[in-house]
Amino acid sequence: MARPTILQFVDIYYPFLAAFGVPANLMTMVILCRGNCGLSKCITVYMVAMATADLLVMLVNVIAYHIFTYYFSHSFLYYTPICKFVMYFQCITLYVSVWFTVSFTCDRFVAICCEKFKTKYCTVRTAAAVITTLSVLISLQSLPFWFAYESDRIIHNVPSGCRPKVKFFTSPAGAAYYWLESIFIAWLAFALILLFNCLTVRRILMASRARRGLRGHSSENQSDPEMENRRKSIILLFSVSGSFILLWLTSIVSFLSTQLTNTAHYRGDYTAPAYIATETGFMLMYLSSCTNTCIYAATQTKFREELKKVVTSPWTLILILVKK
């Protein structure tokens, strides 16, 4: 019997995604930590945190879960305690990736729209505190997932594999927690990102009109460094948040449709529209953990220059060694 098309595509997709996503996020972290991109220290902290979260998504969700547990089903990852840890940590990495994006959007909103509060909030210390607090809260909030799985089978008196506990997900408390998780991860995060972006755009449009009025029509052809900085900032903000929303949208819509219409249980039919939509949503969702590097390279000139140096430096070192 031929393997379903969606599964054949998944077999190819995740290895390629990991092969690109891991080095891309590593290079992003290295470039940003060097501090030569012309960005403030505060925004650099948030961008490094987002790259770190995306790297963890690649390592845990894509490599450990979607690749190793599938191709190496009898490895150490198959032992129930380790398997449960992977399932638990999957939730943490995804949620941290989402809320670091929200915190980045909030920081840009404060920097552009709140002049008085900007000097207190947009600091390295505040950024580190926000990132640490989010990480701790998400880790605690995801703890129920540790108890939501049980061993799949016992092999030589060793618990192996893990599967969802039916009692947990069918109980009123478990179902409520599952829905609250979805609201927390998706709708609240989406709403905050859209709200901050709308308020930021409104502020920028108002400031631009006022600035053009002050400068007068005689200086319309002259360059305005302040407006150019705002334009670059808004392009970066909208590229990051817009990419995140678009790539997560399929997964969120798929979750709602399958839960509301009770089609989530496709009973092993890999050609069912509900399964294909869900799997496609997951693939796009994980793709969002690879796009920020491309966005930074496309929108930030100095980042692009630093990226060229990082990419070419190994070859330069080889050439020097050969000449010697």
Side-chain angles (χ1 to χ4, degrees):
M1 184 176 179
R3 187 170 173 80
T5 304
I6 185 65
L7 296 183
Q8 294 180 29
F9 185 77
V10 166
D11 291 344
I12 301 172
Y13 177 80
Y14 284 116
F16 272 98
L17 186 67
F20 174 77
V22 172
N25 285 302
L26 279 173
M27 284 192 296
T28 300
M29 293 168 61
V30 170
I31 292 169
L32 292 173
C33 288
R34 292 172 66 176
N36 298 327
C37 296
L39 300 168
S40 67
K41 292 182 179 180
C42 176
I43 193 173
T44 299
V45 171
Y46 283 109
M47 291 170 70
V48 170
M50 289 194 300
T52 304
D54 290 340
L55 177 62
L56 289 175
V57 170
M58 288 292 107
L59 294 175
V60 178
N61 300 57
V62 176
I63 296 178
Y65 181 73
H66 283 284
I67 297 178
F68 271 81
T69 57
Y70 178 77
Y71 289 103
F72 306 98
S73 57
H74 298 291
S75 67
F76 70 97
L77 293 174
Y78 196 63
Y79 296 134
T80 298
I82 299 177
C83 179
K84 289 175 65 175
F85 177 78
V86 170
M87 300 298 292
Y88 165 67
F89 211 65
Q90 272 195 105
C91 301
I92 295 177
T93 54
L94 274 179
Y95 296 173
V96 163
S97 178
V98 170
W99 283 96
F100 282 0
T101 303
V102 175
S103 63
F104 166 77
T105 309
C106 177
D107 177 81
R108 292 300 84 203
F109 161 74
V110 173
I112 295 173
C113 302
C114 308
E115 294 293 334
K116 295 182 179 179
F117 189 51
K118 173 183 175 180
T119 54
K120 294 182 179 180
Y121 184 83
C122 298
T123 62
V124 174
R125 184 175 181 178
T126 301
V130 168
I131 290 167
T132 303
T133 302
L134 284 174
S135 301
V136 172
L137 290 177
I138 290 171
S139 299
L140 294 175
Q141 178 245 347
S142 301
L143 271 177
F145 274 105
W146 179 267
F147 306 99
Y149 294 89
E150 60 185 358
S151 61
D152 187 37
R153 65 192 68 178
I154 304 296
I155 302 176
H156 302 299
N157 295 324
V158 177
S160 301
C162 53
R163 62 184 178 184
K165 286 183 180 179
V166 177
K167 292 183 179 179
F168 177 85
F169 288 100
T170 57
S171 66
Y177 175 77
Y178 192 52
W179 274 99
L180 287 174
E181 284 285 297
S182 304
I183 294 171
F184 176 77
I185 185 65
W187 296 113
L188 180 57
F190 273 36
L192 289 175
I193 289 175
L194 290 173
L195 175 64
F196 290 141
N197 282 341
C198 289
L199 293 175
T200 303
V201 169
R202 179 175 174 272
R203 173 68 176 180
I204 287 177
L205 290 176
M206 292 175 60
S208 299
R209 290 171 186 168
R211 191 170 182 83
R212 281 197 298 268
L214 291 173
R215 287 172 62 86
H217 297 287
S218 61
S219 59
E220 284 184 354
N221 295 327
Q222 297 179 8
S223 62
D224 188 348
E226 180 65 23
M227 293 302 298
E228 183 65 19
N229 289 334
R230 288 181 181 178
R231 185 184 69 84
K232 291 180 179 180
S233 179
I234 204 66
I235 288 174
L236 176 63
L237 173 62
F238 282 2
S239 298
V240 172
S241 56
S243 171
F244 167 78
I245 290 175
L246 289 175
L247 292 174
W248 273 76
L249 195 59
T250 302
S251 179
I252 301 306
V253 172
S254 171
F255 169 80
L256 278 180
S257 62
T258 54
Q259 292 298 318
L260 294 177
T261 60
N262 198 28
T263 59
H265 304 290
Y266 55 92
R267 300 181 185 279
D269 183 6
Y270 295 105
T271 61
Y275 176 78
I276 294 174
T278 301
E279 197 63 48
T280 302
F282 280 131
M283 289 189 286
L284 292 175
M285 181 177 67
Y286 292 133
L287 180 61
S288 68
S289 295
C290 301
T291 55
N292 282 350
T293 303
C294 300
I295 291 172
Y296 301 155
T299 60
Q300 303 292 310
T301 303
K302 291 185 178 180
F303 182 89
R304 189 161 54 248
E305 293 172 354
E306 290 296 312
L307 180 61
K308 291 178 181 178
K309 292 179 182 178
V310 171
V311 171
T312 58
S313 58
W315 301 108
T316 305
L317 179 61
I318 291 174
L319 289 175
I320 294 173
L321 293 174
V322 169
K323 289 180 180 180
K324 289 183 178 181

